Amino acid sequence: MRLTKKSHACVRLEKDGRTLVIDPGGFSESDAALGADAVLVTHEHPDHFDEDRLRAGLEANPAAQIWTLRSVAEQLSAAFPGRVHTVGHGDTFTAAGFDVQVHGELHAVIHPDIPRITNIGFLVDGAVFHPGDALTVPDHPVDTLMLPVMAPWNKISEVIDYVREVGPRRAIDIHDALLTDLARPIYDRQIGALGGTDHGRLAPGDTRDL
């Protein structure tokens, strides 16, 4: 399986000629969903869910389908009947040849005064876990953790403890559009030294074979 990092929280996974895209949001490239056979969306926040990007992907490939939670599905189902699937914690399904498990239910707390929305994470082929905007720990070993490294709802101590709790073989940064190049070496050093696993980051467009 080949992983391609896109901007912010979006990643592309390719296997056997099929492509799965996760979270092509408004901070990602405008063509982030193009070429996808399947798209997964973790929640409704615009940096993870951009309707124009999803529409472009589904219109370019009439066979492409989306799996997401109810709050996103309700915004797309009428335009793409039969192609938008609602899933939640504990569900399993196959999308474009990838086996997917759903973990998690709620977005991380941004502030106690802000109501929490729903959020789900996706474990793909029992190996790659994308948690969306939450520090969800799946009840399954994780080989590659897509690590939300910088967000309004987290701090670096929580990120380090999350890596330790999940215990992946490797952690690769996502949710990094708000992290400046000036500060990245601090995050790289601390997560790498304290997380207890191989930690790395990819520039948008870079790939890694898993």
Side-chain angles (χ1 to χ4, degrees):
M1 181 163 50
R2 171 165 290 185
L3 180 148
T4 301
K5 173 74 167 64
K6 308 296 285 184
S7 293
H8 196 51
C10 181
V11 298
R12 295 172 69 96
L13 298 172
E14 298 171 84
K15 181 185 72 172
D16 300 331
R18 310 296 297 279
T19 299
L20 175 73
V21 174
I22 306 176
D23 279 3
F27 291 174
S28 302
E29 294 79 2
S30 59
D31 63 351
L34 292 181
D37 298 292
V39 181
L40 312 181
V41 179
T42 62
H43 66 289
E44 65 197 78
H45 281 162
D47 57 326
H48 295 255
F49 163 53
D50 182 88
E51 186 170 346
D52 289 341
R53 284 164 172 73
L54 285 174
R55 285 179 176 272
L58 266 66
E59 290 169 357
N61 179 5
Q65 300 184 54
I66 293 176
W67 283 261
T68 186
L69 38 61
R70 185 173 304 281
S71 60
V72 173
E74 288 175 345
Q75 300 182 53
L76 297 168
S77 294
F80 301 100
R83 299 171 64 187
V84 182
H85 310 279
T86 301
V87 293
H89 177 69
D91 288 339
T92 60
F93 58 92
T94 300
F98 296 84
D99 294 326
V100 184
Q101 300 175 12
V102 183
H103 296 269
E105 299 180 271
L106 290 173
H107 192 286
V109 174
I110 301 171
H111 187 276
D113 291 349
I114 300 175
R116 295 175 73 181
I117 63 169
T118 50
N119 176 97
I120 54 178
F122 298 105
L123 180 64
V124 181
D125 277 354
V128 178
F129 185 59
H130 189 306
D133 275 6
L135 301 181
T136 302
V137 179
D139 57 353
H140 189 288
V142 173
D143 181 79
T144 302
L145 174 65
M146 308 312 302
L147 180 65
V149 69
M150 199 322 179
W153 48 265
N154 71 16
K155 56 186 179 180
I156 195 167
S157 64
E158 295 172 331
V159 173
I160 291 166
D161 287 344
Y162 180 54
V163 175
R164 290 178 173 181
E165 189 172 3
V166 176
R169 187 166 67 88
R170 68 167 69 89
I172 299 174
D173 289 353
I174 57 169
H175 215 287
D176 53 2
L178 303 180
L179 185 59
T180 68
D181 289 340
L182 186 65
R184 292 208 75 132
I186 299 172
Y187 279 71
D188 292 343
R189 183 171 63 252
Q190 293 186 350
I191 297 172
L194 299 174
T197 193
D198 175 43
H199 168 254
R201 53 186 168 95
L202 301 173
D206 284 354
T207 64
R208 178 170 292 185
D209 291 328
L210 305 178

